[in-house]
């Protein structure tokens, strides 16, 4: 950069750190040298995460590369689903996470997302059947519902829906928002603290003799705990434990 002292040029060092689901955080200045010739910044962003695609079942996914686990079961409504208005107020969408929407407006369709015409409420379309397969791709958690009712096109094309979950510590549980329609797919964005990793952790056991490593990350529990029952001297006890992580409440 420019000369700061004598013939010494200004230097800036930027450390990029992976922060899944975050593309909006700005870099933070962490250090300036006494002579003002060296600056150090840290930037936590999803752009620094390893480019990879991980798929999980049962409404959860584990990235064994980064050692992070996402569980969307806590976002299930346990009721009539979430109501999401469209930007033009023409339609209302009802959706749930990894399960069928039970709202009466959906006319008992087997839908993870249904679309209801606000002017003709009997006009209801299945916008994608429920799925429990979660995908974690390039720092973002995604849930896709396929095989909905077909469009009136030639040839017919099935409707689908895509929900992108974005880490936002201040959002709490959050609420899905309609993001538009493109290529026969309804898009939703959901800012929620439920997809903010508590921490990147390493859960690897190393044999001190052979130096071979065993990854125990798949044994980490994020919503419940491992339970062990024991009967000693006629006294029954139950033990709760977790691996590489504190016990869950």
């Amino acid at each position: 950069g420019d000369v700061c002292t004598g013939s010494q040029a200004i230097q800036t060092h930027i450390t990029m750190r992976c922060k899944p689901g975050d593309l909006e955080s700005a870099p933070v200045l962490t250090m300036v040298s006494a002579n003002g010739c060296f600056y150090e910044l840290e930037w936590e962003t999803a752009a620094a995460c390893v480019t990879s695609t991980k798929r999980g079942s049962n409404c959860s996914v584990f990235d064994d590369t980064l050692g992070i686990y996402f569980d969307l079961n806590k976002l299930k409504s346990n009721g009539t689903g979430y109501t999401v208005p469209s930007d033009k107020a023409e339609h209302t969408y009802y959706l749930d996470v990894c399960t069928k929407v039970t709202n009466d407006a959906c006319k008992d369709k087997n839908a993870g997302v249904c679309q209801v015409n606000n002017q003709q409420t009997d006009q209801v379309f299945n916008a994608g059947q429920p799925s429990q397969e979660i995908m974690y791709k390039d720092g973002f958690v995604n849930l896709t519902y396929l095989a909905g009712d077909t469009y009136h096109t030639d040839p017919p094309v099935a409707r689908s829906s895509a929900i992108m979950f974005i880490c936002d510590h201040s959002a709490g549980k959050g609420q899905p928002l309609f993001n538009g329609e493109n290529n026969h797919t309804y898009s939703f964005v959901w800012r929620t603290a439920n997809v903010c990793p508590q921490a990147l952790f390493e859960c690897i056991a190393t044999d001190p003799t052979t130096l071979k490593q065993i990854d125990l990350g798949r044994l980490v529990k994020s919503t419940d705990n491992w339970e062990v029952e024991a009967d000693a001297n006629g006294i029954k006890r139950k033990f709760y434990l977790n691996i590489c992580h504190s016990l869950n409440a």
Side-chain angles (χ1 to χ4, degrees):
D2 291 339
V3 175
C4 60
T5 301
S7 59
Q8 186 176 354
I10 296 176
Q11 297 182 26
T12 301
H13 181 264
I14 304 175
T15 300
M16 312 285 286
R17 302 186 188 280
C18 168
K19 187 177 182 181
D22 189 351
L23 281 176
E24 298 182 356
S25 295
V28 177
L29 181 65
T30 58
M31 194 274 287
V32 181
S33 64
N35 61 3
C37 292
F38 181 79
Y39 297 84
E40 191 168 84
L41 298 94
E42 287 190 0
W43 196 345
E44 295 186 339
T45 170
C49 295
V50 176
T51 302
S52 64
T53 299
K54 303 291 182 180
R55 297 182 184 275
S57 58
N58 299 320
C59 209
S60 61
V61 61
F62 176 68
D63 188 326
D64 52 2
T65 303
L66 297 175
I68 49 180
Y69 178 78
F70 301 96
D71 190 339
L72 300 185
N73 282 290
K74 292 182 179 179
L75 293 178
K76 291 180 179 178
S77 71
N78 296 319
T80 56
Y82 297 88
T83 302
V84 185
S86 66
D87 51 355
K88 297 180 181 179
E90 182 179 356
H91 298 99
T92 297
Y93 297 90
Y94 299 90
L95 66 82
D96 214 327
V97 177
C98 297
T99 190
K100 171 185 173 181
V101 182
T102 57
N103 196 295
D104 291 340
C106 293
K107 308 294 185 183
D108 201 33
K109 287 179 174 285
N110 182 33
V113 177
C114 79
Q115 180 198 61
V116 179
N117 189 309
N118 290 335
Q119 303 301 320
Q120 300 175 306
T121 55
D122 60 335
Q123 189 178 89
V124 180
F125 293 103
N126 183 336
Q129 297 186 24
S131 169
Q132 294 202 23
E133 182 178 287
I134 306 299
M135 181 172 68
Y136 174 68
K137 182 178 181 180
D138 301 343
F140 293 93
V141 181
N142 299 275
L143 174 60
T144 302
Y145 294 148
L146 304 173
D149 290 336
T150 58
Y151 280 87
H152 300 297
T153 56
D154 187 18
V157 178
R159 289 171 166 83
S160 62
S161 296
I163 308 171
M164 176 184 286
F165 299 87
I166 299 177
C167 167
D168 187 338
H169 289 279
S170 65
K173 189 174 184 179
Q175 174 75 21
L177 299 175
F178 181 67
N179 195 46
E181 178 184 0
N182 188 36
N183 294 328
H184 310 106
T185 299
Y186 304 101
S187 175
F188 301 86
V189 173
W190 194 331
R191 295 182 177 277
T192 172
N194 285 76
V195 295
C196 296
Q198 295 181 357
L200 298 181
F201 60 86
E202 185 178 78
C203 193
I204 295 176
T206 303
D207 187 314
T209 303
T210 64
L211 299 182
K212 289 184 177 181
Q213 294 186 324
I214 301 174
D215 187 357
L216 302 177
R218 296 183 185 275
L219 297 178
V220 178
K221 291 273 194 175
S222 68
T223 57
D224 55 0
N225 306 291
W226 294 104
E227 298 181 11
V228 179
E229 293 185 355
D231 189 344
N233 299 322
I235 301 176
K236 291 185 178 181
R237 292 185 174 88
K238 181 180 285 189
F239 299 87
Y240 299 89
L241 62 94
N242 207 346
I243 304 296
C244 297
H245 193 279
S246 59
L247 289 173
N248 296 292

